Amino acid sequence: MATRTRRSQRRTDALSRERIVEAAVELLDTAGESGLTFRALTERLATGPGAIYWHVANKDELLAAATDAVVAAAVAVGPAVEAPRTPSQEAGAPVSPQDAVRAVALGLFDAIARHPWLAAQLATQLSRSPWGTVTPRIFESIGQQVRALDVPESSWFTVTSALVHYVLGAAGQNAVNGAIGRALPPGADRAGFLDTVSTAWEELDPGEYPFARAVADQIRGHDDREQFLDGIDLVLAGITATHHPRQEHPDRPDPARGPE
């Protein structure tokens, strides 16, 4: 009887919602959204469709669950994570809100890079199903840090939205760049592609595109991940400058107090 119980438990575990979502993520990674079918899922799980439908009603629910599972792992920043931009910080030391924002942002950036389907699904979830679990999870993970930055409550949503839009936009563009890189012909690489872009910009009309020509050489060899983090720092600096002007410029008169 004990053996039968253990076997039944193993079957139940194998067909749990978590295992189904895990298999869905694996299929999405290897075959894309079009490859995620209930037939393919039943084959991967070696089960019948009825067992899957018991946990997941349809493909839209499955896509939402897969997206949420990946996002949940990406934004899971513990209270004592080492800051990604401050290697000198002691291991286990509490992170600042700024470092926590960077950690969440990098988690999402790397997740979108690893899962080619994720960027499109995030756009879908944020625009079509903002009441689902994905959107509030992302906003919560960043918004808690915005609160810790002492941003006024009236600006929480605006500031958090700016960070979320930058993170997802830049990470999504990086995912597109990655897809382009994977589609390059044999023998071609990212460095050669960037060099081609740089050369083309350098040859633009100097009267019409003076700025593009000036930065053309910076395209060569730039690091997408470092550029992404630099952008996060720019947004964070803007938040600090906007909401803590006295802290950033202690000698600046306070306009609310009038002339001294």
Side-chain angles (χ1 to χ4, degrees):
M1 180 66 68
T3 300
R4 179 178 299 174
T5 300
R6 285 194 296 270
R7 288 175 178 172
S8 298
Q9 183 63 46
R10 283 196 295 269
R11 284 199 298 271
T12 301
D13 291 343
L15 297 177
S16 66
R17 180 181 174 89
E18 290 75 17
R19 177 66 191 111
I20 292 169
V21 170
E22 180 184 338
V25 171
E26 293 169 357
L27 273 173
L28 285 164
D29 287 346
T30 56
E33 185 178 337
S34 62
L36 178 62
T37 65
F38 275 71
R39 168 178 282 186
L41 202 54
T42 56
E43 292 176 355
R44 180 173 287 264
L45 293 170
T47 187
I52 297 176
Y53 281 115
W54 176 263
H55 295 282
V56 182
N58 51 51
K59 183 173 178 177
D60 286 344
E61 182 180 335
L62 186 57
L63 283 167
T67 303
D68 187 55
V70 173
V71 168
V75 302
V77 180
V81 177
E82 197 168 2
R85 292 301 292 274
T86 53
S88 62
Q89 182 184 19
E90 293 182 7
V95 300
S96 67
Q98 292 89 342
D99 288 332
V101 168
R102 295 185 190 102
V104 171
L106 272 180
L108 288 167
F109 183 88
D110 290 341
I112 291 172
R114 286 194 303 270
H115 304 282
W117 53 273
L118 185 58
Q121 276 305 308
L122 284 172
T124 298
Q125 295 298 323
L126 265 67
S127 60
R128 298 182 184 177
S129 303
W131 48 80
T133 55
V134 174
T135 302
R137 189 184 300 281
I138 294 173
F139 269 76
E140 186 70 24
S141 63
I142 294 179
Q144 286 187 15
Q145 310 312 321
V146 168
R147 291 179 63 179
L149 287 169
D150 292 330
V151 171
E153 184 174 355
S154 60
S155 298
W156 285 354
F157 180 69
T158 297
V159 171
T160 303
S161 294
L163 278 163
V164 169
H165 291 155
Y166 170 76
V167 169
L168 298 186
Q173 183 59 54
N174 180 69
V176 171
N177 294 343
I180 293 173
R182 290 188 293 272
L184 291 173
D189 59 13
R190 178 179 182 273
F193 177 80
L194 292 180
D195 184 68
T196 300
V197 176
S198 296
T199 301
W201 283 33
E202 288 169 343
E203 295 173 353
L204 292 170
D205 185 295
E208 191 172 1
Y209 300 100
F211 176 80
R213 283 171 54 91
V215 300
D217 188 57
Q218 297 177 27
I219 296 174
R220 293 186 177 93
H222 77 275
D223 186 289
D224 292 328
R225 207 164 183 266
E226 283 299 315
Q227 189 180 59
F228 172 75
L229 278 175
D230 287 342
I232 291 292
D233 287 346
L234 285 171
V235 177
L236 288 172
I239 292 170
T240 300
T242 301
H243 296 289
H244 299 282
R246 295 288 294 172
Q247 176 179 324
E248 288 295 298
H249 306 282
D251 297 329
R252 179 191 299 172
D254 186 348
R257 296 176 56 187
E260 296 292 340

